[in-house]
């Protein structure tokens, strides 16, 4: 681990390139940190899509979470849109997890299996 002096003495702006990424030190336009994080997320998946219902922190409103889909961010966004349209509800894509409003586990399981994914219902 770098010392505190090394952590605080990094270059954050260059008149030649503009803002620099604090992690890799390259200009923001050339930064590859997001791609590296996406590759790490995909490498940690086991190929099984898990569906679970969650109400914690949502004032009692339930949502269905779709986790572990082995797709890149752009393709995941397209899949999320298709699943929301299929269910006829809203939802969101947050940190590689698709959130669909309501308890839609059975409908989503059938839809994902028809698309060729191995699906498990996780949680209660």
């Amino acid at each position: 681990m770098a010392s505190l002096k090394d952590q605080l003495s990094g270059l954050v702006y260059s008149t030649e390139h503009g803002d620099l990424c604090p992690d890799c030190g390259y200009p923001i336009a050339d930064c590859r940190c997001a791609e590296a994080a996406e590759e790490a997320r995909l490498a940690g998946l086991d190929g099984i899509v898990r569906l679970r219902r969650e109400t914690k922190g949502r004032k009692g409103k339930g949502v269905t979470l779709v986790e572990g889909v082995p797709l890149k961010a752009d393709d995941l966004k397209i899949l999320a849109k298709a699943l929301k349209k299929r269910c006829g509800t809203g939802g969101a894509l947050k940190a590689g997890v698709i959130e669909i409003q309501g308890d839609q586990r059975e409908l989503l399981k059938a839809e994902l299996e028809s698309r060729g994914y191995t699906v498990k219902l996780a949680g209660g």
Side-chain angles (χ1 to χ4, degrees), residues 21-115:
C21 176
D23 295 328
C24 63
Y26 288 101
I28 295 293
D30 298 331
C31 179
R32 302 285 183 243
C33 294
E35 292 175 11
E38 183 70 16
E39 293 296 325
R41 183 188 70 82
L42 288 174
L45 299 177
D46 59 358
I48 298 173
V49 178
R50 289 176 173 79
L51 299 174
R52 66 184 173 103
R53 183 171 180 268
E54 184 177 276
T55 59
K56 187 174 183 180
R58 302 175 191 279
K59 298 182 182 177
K61 307 283 188 197
V63 296
T64 303
L65 300 178
V66 182
E67 299 175 324
V69 181
L71 293 175
K72 294 218 178 244
D74 295 336
D75 297 331
L76 200 58
K77 188 181 278 188
I78 294 168
L79 177 64
K81 183 175 180 180
L83 293 177
K84 291 188 296 184
K85 187 174 183 180
R86 175 75 171 96
C87 294
T89 62
L93 175 64
K94 297 179 181 175
V97 178
I98 301 172
E99 296 181 359
I100 306 289
Q101 293 175 353
D103 188 3
Q104 309 286 341
R105 289 179 290 185
E106 295 302 323
L107 182 63
L108 289 173
K109 182 177 181 184
E111 178 67 23
L112 289 169
E113 285 176 343
S114 71
R115 291 176 181 251

